[in-house]
Amino acid sequence: MANNLQVLGIESSCDETGVALVEVCGNALPVLLAHALHSQIEMHQAYGGVVPELASRDHIRRVLPLTEQVLAQAKRTLADIDVVAFTRGPGLAGALLVGAGVACALGAALKKPVLGVHHLEGHLLSPFLSADPPEFPFVALLVSGGHTQLMRVDGVGRYTLLGETIDDAAGEAFDKSAKLLGLGYPGGPALARLAEQGNPAAFRLPRPLLNSANLDFSFAGLKTAVMVQAKKLAAVQACAVEALPANVLADLAASTQAAIVEVLVKKSLAALQQSGLQRLVVAGGVGANRMLRQQLNAACARQRLRVHYPELHLCTDNGAMIAMAAAMRLQSGQQSASKVYAFDVKPRWPLDAL
Ligand code: KG4
Ligand code: ZN
């Protein structure tokens, strides 16, 4: 592989448009030169969740201005780009098509190859952009809005699924519980903020599969338990759930967060123990959760295990992780970029199928 490759990455799988430029120098860890992000949160807020059609239209508006911004920040021009990477899946089909279409058009116009990246591989490898990058092998806890998985990671593209959720993802449990407490969208960060003021032991909510022998998760029952508890409290006070006193809502939020975090921490440690590995990597939006980080840090410190996270601002969706995953795949020889611009996307795409 030629030295000093500049890889442009475009993320458009859901409600953030992200663009980034990463530089690959030989075998050294690729370096992030610049990245830019536009969050659609404000736009979707009025609807209480992501509206796929609006997401696609907004990606179209944002992606080229963000690309110009990234190139200007990195002091590069279009002509400097060697490879154009994009999120190929999983995600919203229309939203993915925007990133794929723009990436392939750019590639064709610049006569440069393109490379489709797995969104979760982007999350998984995003800690390599941090000041404390991990080393292979490690156990990865992937916790995003759509996925909750424990993987054994032996190298780039060498992923073995150890366990996953059998129903809702951890992010979904945060989002759905937040919605029924009247906290709106995006629910995870809002619930986490409110939980800071509450008592995590106020309500005993279920910890599904906490003591199961396998490494699977189940979060669907938790939101039902939160709803039952909230409705019981609201009935006593003769008010709507959202109108419950602030301290009661905070206690509910804190108890919900505590239930999710306890299961994630216990299963991550079990995965480390079962695999005999010493290193945990946490990635995906829920990896930004403060309580999860605190409890994982404490548990890993007690057992002399290492734990790595992406930088906080790179936990949720962004272009840097897509450019980084592409760069690391190219560097490791797992994949080469292609000048075939007949793109397709994969809205459903299991990571261990890579
Ligand atoms: O990885 P991500 O940005 O998008 C997906 O690929 O799904 O993850 C988004 C998920 C959402 O469910 C969001 O509520 C959750 O991550 N999230 C959080 C926090 N920040 C984002 N959940 C709990 N605490 C947070 N601080
Ligand atoms: Zn994501």
Side-chain angles (χ1 to χ4, degrees):
M1 197 181 80
N3 269 354
N4 284 21
L5 268 193
Q6 323 274 320
V7 182
L8 186 80
I10 298 175
E11 154 64 28
S12 72
S13 67
C14 189
D15 54 358
E16 330 266 354
T17 322
V19 179
L21 194 66
V22 156
E23 186 171 55
V24 188
C25 285
N27 290 324
L29 216 47
V31 175
L32 179 63
L33 299 181
H35 85 109
L37 190 70
H38 176 79
S39 169
Q40 302 178 351
I41 283 176
E42 231 171 88
M43 182 182 77
H44 295 297
Q45 231 150 19
Y47 306 92
V50 179
V51 183
E53 174 65 23
L54 295 185
S56 312
R57 290 187 214 169
D58 202 56
H59 287 309
I60 291 174
R61 275 195 290 271
R62 307 291 175 180
V63 66
L64 288 176
L66 287 173
T67 305
E68 284 171 348
Q69 199 179 316
V70 161
L71 289 172
Q73 257 176 47
K75 299 193 170 42
R76 302 288 197 280
T77 66
L78 280 173
D80 295 318
I81 297 172
D82 297 297
V83 176
V84 186
F86 61 94
T87 305
R88 191 175 173 206
L92 302 169
L96 290 166
L97 281 168
V98 175
V102 169
C104 290
L106 265 180
L110 300 171
K111 300 189 172 48
K112 294 293 164 62
V114 296
L115 196 156
V117 171
H118 196 295
H119 180 85
L120 290 180
E121 186 173 40
H123 279 302
L124 189 73
L125 299 177
S126 61
F128 285 96
L129 287 164
S130 75
D132 177 30
E135 277 167 33
F136 298 114
F138 54 77
V139 167
L141 172 68
L142 267 175
V143 269
S144 69
H147 294 83
T148 298
Q149 300 186 325
L150 281 161
M151 316 272 312
R152 180 188 168 105
V153 179
D154 286 292
V156 177
R158 296 169 61 200
Y159 311 132
T160 314
L161 185 67
L162 302 175
E164 66 182 330
T165 183
I166 57 169
D167 41 52
D168 288 357
E172 229 172 327
F174 269 102
D175 293 339
K176 289 178 174 170
S177 304
K179 198 165 193 169
L180 62 92
L181 296 181
L183 303 178
Y185 150 89
L191 190 139
R193 254 192 319 275
L194 185 60
E196 301 274 326
Q197 288 138 46
N199 171 10
F203 303 104
R204 184 72 201 166
L205 295 167
R207 271 93 170 130
L209 301 188
L210 183 68
N211 296 312
S212 70
N214 62 24
L215 297 171
D216 286 341
F217 303 87
S218 166
F219 289 109
L222 178 62
K223 67 166 186 290
T224 313
V226 174
M227 187 171 66
V228 169
Q229 184 65 62
K231 285 199 166 152
K232 227 190 274 176
L233 292 163
V236 173
Q237 309 246 354
C239 68
V241 167
E242 309 88 75
L244 280 167
N247 64 315
V248 177
L249 283 175
D251 283 350
L252 273 168
S255 303
T256 307
Q257 177 175 260
I260 299 170
V261 166
E262 186 179 339
V263 178
L264 293 176
V265 171
K266 182 153 185 201
K267 293 275 170 166
S268 299
L269 279 132
L272 286 163
Q273 199 190 16
Q274 286 178 27
S275 63
L277 297 178
Q278 311 282 312
R279 232 174 248 282
L280 179 70
V281 162
V282 184
V286 182
N289 185 271
R290 232 164 64 110
M291 189 192 193
L292 177 65
R293 287 186 176 218
Q294 273 170 0
Q295 300 220 351
L296 278 175
N297 288 344
C300 287
R302 273 196 299 275
Q303 303 198 22
R304 295 182 187 284
L305 300 163
R306 289 295 316 274
V307 53
H308 301 260
Y309 307 91
E311 302 290 340
L312 255 187
H313 69 285
L314 296 180
C315 272
T316 44
D317 295 347
N318 63 81
M321 69 184 201
I322 300 305
M324 186 65 172
M328 290 182 75
R329 283 187 81 78
L330 291 168
Q331 201 176 34
S332 68
Q334 279 285 330
Q335 198 172 346
S336 40
S338 148
K339 285 193 175 170
V340 176
Y341 304 113
F343 59 88
D344 65 346
V345 295
K346 294 186 167 206
R348 290 176 184 278
W349 190 9
L351 181 56
D352 56 337
L354 267 185

